[in-house]
């Protein structure tokens, strides 16, 4: 029985695709699936609307996908391509007439508060110009209404960051390593979204082959790659991947089942 849906708002790396000034075949491709905004996910789970990360493209993503609201934000980590659209949450404040609680890894709370001091430590009052946000540490498991969210610790190079599980769907962007203890949190996952940056090795991201190997160990029914660079052409990659694994694309909608 379906308990919700997820929309892949953006499946691109930190530069987005196309890259500014790049004339490669993928950046100039006419295939809309090769146009990738910065990585983000919107989830509607048991009536609760969740946003994973606030990419610099949040305004465009919200408009293109007709997002009806955001009840809470879940941050994976604080790299610029995952947080620098935070100011656009202000419009959801206006629409919903309420503040929005943001959850982040404990180690990232001070970074967020200092980087966005005008929001979290305002020296002046500009009620209509400052998003109304609260920031809290993300626990191992969180209930918001009837929505259960499980934090999945993963490695991003030398950093410990978070992925998330929503029902039978898991989202692991910017991943370079999946700890054995976190693999246990993914038992029974039917749909997996996982970062696969490119074919050549990278110090802080899985390659496509590494992502496929991780997918095989988790064994979901279906999996989608995200956080992809301009080295990957959608159709070429789709033809290369094993059965049940596909490249993601901006606007992809995935049904979420209960667990």
């Amino acid at each position: 029985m379906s308990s919700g849906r997820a929309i892949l708002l953006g499946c691109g790396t930190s530069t987005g695709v196309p890259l500014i000034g790049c004339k490669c075949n993928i950046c100039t491709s006419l295939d809309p699936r090769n146009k990738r905004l910065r990585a983000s996910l919107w989830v509607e789970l048991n009536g609760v609307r969740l946003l994973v990360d606030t990419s610099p493209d949040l305004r465009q993503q919200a408009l293109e996908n007709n997002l009806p609201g955001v009840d809470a934000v879940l941050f994976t980590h604080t790299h610029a391509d995952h947080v620098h659209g935070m100011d656009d949450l202000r419009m959801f404040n206006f629409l919903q007439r309420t503040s929005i609680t943001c959850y982040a890894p404990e180690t990232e709370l001070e970074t967020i508060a200092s980087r966005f001091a005008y929001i979290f430590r305002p020296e002046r009052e500009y009620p209509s110009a400052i998003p109304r946000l609260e920031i809290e540490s993300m626990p191992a498991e969180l209930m918001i209404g009837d929505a259960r969210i499980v934090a999945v610790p993963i490695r991003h190079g030398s950093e410990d960051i978070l992925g998330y599980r929503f029902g039978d769907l898991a989202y692991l962007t910017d991943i370079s390593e999946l700890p054995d203890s976190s693999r246990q949190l993914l038992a029974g996952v039917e749909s997996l979204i996982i970062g696969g940056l490119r074919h050549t090795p990278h110090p802080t991201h899985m390659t496509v082959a590494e992502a496929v190997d991780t997918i095989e160990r988790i064994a979901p029914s279906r999996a989608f790659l995200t956080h992809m660079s301009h080295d990957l052409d959608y159709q070429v990659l789709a033809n290369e991947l094993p059965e049940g694994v596909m490249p993601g694309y901006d606007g992809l909608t995935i049904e979420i089942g209960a667990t």
Side-chain angles (χ1 to χ4, degrees):
M1 179 179 178
S2 175
S3 61
R5 62 183 174 128
I7 303 175
L8 193 57
L9 300 179
C11 63
T13 186
S14 60
T15 59
V17 181
L19 278 68
I20 294 173
C22 185
K23 303 300 180 184
C24 75
N25 290 339
I26 296 166
C27 285
T28 57
S29 170
L30 298 179
D31 187 340
R33 296 170 297 185
N34 281 331
K35 311 299 182 188
R36 300 174 184 134
L37 299 175
R38 268 65 72 90
S40 183
L41 186 76
W42 184 84
V43 174
E44 187 173 31
L45 183 65
N46 293 330
V48 178
R49 302 162 302 182
L50 307 165
L51 178 66
V52 183
D53 292 334
T54 56
S55 93
D57 302 312
L58 176 55
R59 177 180 178 276
Q60 182 178 351
Q61 292 165 335
L63 290 170
E64 290 185 356
N65 293 280
N66 297 311
L67 297 188
V70 172
D71 297 314
V73 179
L74 309 169
F75 286 110
T76 59
H77 63 302
T78 57
H79 288 177
D81 54 320
H82 293 264
V83 300
H84 278 193
M86 192 180 297
D87 196 78
D88 285 324
L89 292 173
R90 181 164 46 120
M91 290 309 303
F92 291 107
N93 292 143
F94 293 164
L95 289 170
Q96 298 161 197
R97 299 181 182 277
T98 185
S99 63
I100 297 172
T101 302
C102 302
Y103 298 89
E106 175 72 30
T107 54
E108 303 281 29
L109 295 180
E110 177 58 29
T111 299
I112 291 174
S114 60
R115 192 179 303 174
F116 297 93
Y118 76 98
I119 297 175
F120 298 104
R121 299 170 181 166
E123 295 181 359
R124 300 180 182 179
E125 287 293 332
Y126 295 107
S128 65
I130 300 175
R132 294 170 55 201
L133 307 178
E134 305 294 334
I135 186 74
E136 296 185 13
S137 175
M138 179 65 197
E141 183 176 315
L142 175 67
M143 289 296 299
I144 302 177
D146 292 327
R148 175 174 174 260
I149 304 124
V150 177
V152 182
I154 59 176
R155 295 287 289 173
H156 181 24
S158 62
E159 298 182 49
D160 294 312
I161 69 169
L162 292 179
Y164 290 99
R165 178 172 180 170
F166 312 92
D168 67 1
L169 178 142
Y171 180 70
L172 309 177
T173 188
D174 286 53
I175 183 173
S176 62
E177 180 185 348
L178 178 68
D180 289 340
S181 56
S182 292
R183 182 179 169 188
Q184 300 171 13
L185 299 173
L186 301 173
V189 161
E190 293 293 330
S191 300
L192 174 65
I193 305 171
I194 187 169
L197 182 71
R198 61 192 191 193
H199 290 299
T200 55
H202 190 280
T204 63
H205 292 271
M206 284 185 176
T207 63
V208 170
E210 289 168 337
V212 169
D213 179 67
T214 303
I215 291 165
E216 291 174 349
R217 287 188 284 120
I218 297 172
S221 297
R222 56 183 178 172
F224 306 90
L225 299 185
T226 192
H227 212 284
M228 294 178 287
S229 76
H230 74 147
D231 296 315
L232 301 176
D233 177 82
Y234 179 90
Q235 193 58 60
V236 171
L237 183 58
N239 293 339
E240 296 172 345
L241 290 171
E243 184 177 357
V245 183
M246 291 292 291
Y249 58 86
D250 292 10
L252 171 68
T253 299
I254 303 169
E255 295 298 315
I256 301 174
T259 56

